[in-house]
Amino acid sequence: MSAHDAVPVSLAEIARIAGVGRAAVSNWRRRHDSFPTRIGGTDVSPQFSLAEVERWLRNNGKLRDIGGRELLWPRFEALGSRNESGLAIAEAARLMRSPEERTAHPDLSPQAKALADRAARVGREEGPRETFEFLLQRWLETHVRQLSTTPPQLAALMARVALAVRLGPARGRLTLLDPASGTGHLAAAALQEYDGPGLEVLACERDPALAALAAGRLSFLAEEHDVRPRIATADTLRDDPFPGAKADIALCNPPFNERDWGYEELATDQRWTHGLPPRTEPELAWVQHLLTHLEPGGAAVVVLPPAVASRKAGRRIRGSLLRTGTLRAVVSLPPGSAQPHSVSLQLWILRAAPESPATAPPSQHVLLVDATRFARPGTREPSPDWGSLGSFVLTSMAALDQVDQDPPEGAVRVPLLDLLDDEVDVTPGRYTAVANEPSHEELARKWNKFDSLLTDLADHSRHLSRLAFETGTPQTTTTVGDLVKAGALTLRAGQQPATTGDGGTVPLLTIADLLHDGTPSGVVPTGSAPTVAEEGDVLVAGVARAFKAWVHEGPPMALGPQLYLLRVDAEKLEAHFLAGCLYAPTNGRQAGTHASSSSRIDIRRLQVLQLPLDKQTTYAETFRRLRAFEELLTTADGSGKGLVSDMSDRLAAGGLTV
C-alpha cells in the first residue's frame, strides 16, 4: 500500500489504540528507530500509516490487551464522508446479526462494504453489540458539531415522564412513537425504562445514515427485550410513514427553527386541529403531529426551545392546546440539558383526552415547573444535576392530576383563566418566581450557614498565613516518570469505556465533568471500564484547561480519556503529598505541551519533591488544609452570590422593616 492510500493516524489516535498516554507514544518515536516514519501532517501534528503502526505495535508487544475495535475506527474515519461512514457502521451491525444476508446499502462504496465486512468479523469475535456501540459512539463524537442528539439522562427522564403521565393500560404491547429519531436515543431509553410485557417502536428519521444507525441500535436491543422496532426513512411532516397508527407514548426532540418544513404544501393538512402552524413555528407542527398519533389517554413529551412558549405567532395554537386540556405541563430545564447547551430548553407534556371523562376530568389548571435551578453550582459550562433534576420533575408530575396534592416548590398549578390572555405565555419562570422567594426562616438559615463558612475560612487563613519558608536553599525534585521507574507508583491512563459490560455500574468521570463541578455525570457497566480509581489513588487531569491533581476519596470510579491514575507504594510515597506537589500551577505549566488552554499535560514530566516519608506527612497535612481552604472559598462564593440574589428579590418585593 502506498503512502497515498494509507489510513492516516495521529499520535493521539496511536495512544488511544495502544491504551497509553500521548507522551508514551512520543517517547517510543524518539527511542525506537523502527517506529514508523511520518506519512503526512506537520512536525507538530504528524500522521502515520495505521497499517505500519499496527504492525509495529504488535511486533513490540504493545497490543496484548487491546482488541480490534480501536484499530477499526481510523479506517471508518478515513472514508471521509459522514454519511458513508455512518452507513458503513450500520451495515456492519446488519452483518453481525445476519452474516448470510448480502443486500448492502446501495450508497456504499466497495471500500466501505469491505470495511463493514471487517468490522462484522471483529464484532463476532469481541461482541456484536459492544463493537457496534463503540463505533457508533466514536462516530457521534467525531461529528458532534453536525448532529443534535438527546443526552441519555434527558432521554431517560422523558421516557419516565411519559410513562407516568399516560392514562390507562396499553392495549397489549405498549406502542412508542418517535418521529425524529436520530440514532435512536429516545427509543433506547424507553426500552430501558419500560418493564411491561412488550413494546412496539415506530420511529422515523429523514437522514438515511441516522435512520440506519437507529435501526442497528434497536435491532440489538430487540435481542434482549420483547420489542418490535419499525424504522422508516422519511420526512415525517411531509410524508408520514405511519398514517393512522396510534401510540401510547410519544417522545420527540425535533429540529428547531426550520423554516422549510412544508408550510405551503401542508396548509390544508388535517393534523392542524389546533390551527395552522405559522411558517415561523415549525415546532408547533411537530406538537400537533404527535397528538394525531396518540391513543386516548396517551402522553407525549417533546423538547422545545423556550421561545415556543411565548412567541406571538403561536399564541392561537397555545390557547387551543390549553382550552382542550391537551397541554398538561411545561418544564423549564437547566441550560446544558441538550443542544443548544446555552439555552434553557423546555419539555412540553401533552396528553390526549381519555375515552371516558371519568378517567381524568377536564382540568382547569396547567402545571408549570421551573427546574432551571438544578444546574450544577459554580460551573464554567452549563450542565444539570441530573439526579436532583429527575427527582424534582417526577415529583412534580405526581401532582399533575392530584388536585389535593401540592406540587413541590418551583412548580405551580396555574388556572387556565390566568394563561388565556392576550399573550398566552406558558413560560414557567413567569409564574414560579414569586413562589420561589425565600421565607424569613430560609434566609436566616442561609445566613447562619454563610457565617459558619466564614468562620472556617478565617481559621484556615490564620493557620496558613503563619507558615514560614526557607529561601535560597535548592530543593531536590524528581519526576513522575522516574517514580514509576523506581516502583514508587504505578501510572494508568483513563480511556473511553465501552457502553456494555458485565456486572453492576460504576460512575464515570470525564474532563467535561471537571470543567463543571467535578461530579461524575454518567455511569458505565463495571466490566466496560478499563481504568477504575480506588479510594486513596491520586488522580490527575491531563489538559491545561482542567489541570488538577487530587486524592480520590469514595467508591470506585471509572476514568475517561485524558485522566490519569497514580497508585502509590505507601512505604515510599504519601498520596496527599504527591497530589499536592503535582497540583502546583507552575508544575502544570512546565509540563504542558504548549501554551494554549487546550494543551495536554505530560504527566511523566510533573515534578515531585524528594523528601523522606516522615517529612512527606507534614507536607501532606498542609496540602490538605490548603485544599480545604480552596473548597471553602468556592462554597462561600456560591453561597454569597445566592444570598445576594435572594436578598435582592426580597428587597424588590418590599416590606422591609428596620
Side-chain angles (χ1 to χ4, degrees), residues 353-428:
E355 290 179 324
S356 170
T359 304
S363 176
Q364 299 301 310
H365 299 81
V366 170
L367 184 67
L368 299 182
V369 182
D370 187 354
T372 55
R373 71 180 188 272
F374 291 100
R376 293 185 185 179
T379 63
R380 284 184 279 178
E381 296 180 6
S383 176
D385 178 352
W386 287 109
S388 300
L389 170 63
S391 177
F392 171 66
V393 171
L394 291 171
T395 301
S396 300
M397 291 303 113
L400 186 66
D401 297 313
Q402 304 297 324
V403 294
D404 57 343
Q405 178 179 336
D406 291 331
E409 182 181 356
V412 60
R413 289 193 190 90
V414 181
L416 294 184
L417 289 176
D418 292 349
L419 293 169
L420 293 172
D421 54 16
D422 291 338
E423 296 180 343
V424 196
D425 189 342
V426 293
T427 303

Side-chain angles (χ1 to χ4, degrees), residues 579-630:
C581 289
L582 299 181
Y583 192 31
T586 54
N587 208 356
R589 288 194 293 270
Q590 291 170 359
T593 55
H594 50 84
S596 75
S597 63
S598 62
S599 66
R600 297 172 182 264
I601 304 297
D602 187 342
I603 304 302
R604 292 177 177 271
R605 289 173 53 196
L606 290 171
Q607 301 288 315
V608 182
L609 280 172
Q610 282 191 302
L611 294 175
L613 197 58
D614 57 341
K615 287 193 175 182
Q616 289 182 29
T617 303
T618 303
Y619 272 78
E621 290 302 319
T622 306
F623 278 132
R624 283 180 175 177
R625 185 179 285 271
L626 191 60
R627 294 289 79 77
F629 181 71
E630 180 184 40

